[in-house]
Amino acid sequence: QVTVEVFRRIDPPNTFTPNGDGINDTWEIPGIRDYPGAEVLIYDRWGQRVFRSNGYRESWDGTNNGRALPVGTYYYHIQLNQLEGRSPPYTGFISIVR
């Protein structure tokens, strides 16, 4: 008997456009719903945390405390927190374009 475990990788896009037109207004991360314990952190270029989510049930809309963030590049750190243990984090950048 052989047990095969298949882990779906997430694929964070590197750009979104939170301009209120109803298209690409939030940062949707394909595959993250498979990891209900995922922690998503987003930082600005000075290292200040602008977003934090456990479980990522609500996609990031480009705001910090209800205020729209400026156009620019932000950095993410995603920890999937699987039941079997911690996997290496996903890190990269996300650009806000309006």
Side-chain angles (χ1 to χ4, degrees):
Q1 183 175 36
V2 175
T3 302
V4 177
E5 293 185 47
V6 177
F7 295 102
R8 183 172 176 193
R9 294 184 47 88
I10 62 170
D11 188 20
N14 63 5
T15 306
F16 76 115
T17 59
N19 57 10
D21 67 356
I23 301 169
N24 204 24
D25 282 338
T26 60
W27 191 44
E28 300 290 333
I29 304 172
I32 199 152
R33 303 261 187 260
D34 293 340
Y35 302 95
E39 180 180 38
V40 178
L41 303 167
I42 300 175
Y43 300 90
D44 64 15
R45 64 182 174 176
W46 296 282
Q48 299 297 311
R49 188 175 69 208
V50 297
F51 178 81
R52 179 174 187 257
S53 175
N54 283 319
Y56 205 65
R57 288 178 281 285
E58 297 290 324
S59 299
W60 183 45
D61 61 0
T63 63
N64 181 19
N65 294 324
R67 297 177 58 195
L69 291 167
V71 169
T73 302
Y74 297 83
Y75 303 91
Y76 64 82
H77 181 275
I78 301 171
Q79 186 68 54
L80 295 181
N81 297 328
Q82 300 165 328
L83 294 177
E84 301 83 26
R86 294 172 66 97
S87 63
Y90 286 81
T91 59
F93 66 92
I94 175 75
S95 295
I96 293 178
V97 179
R98 288 193 169 80

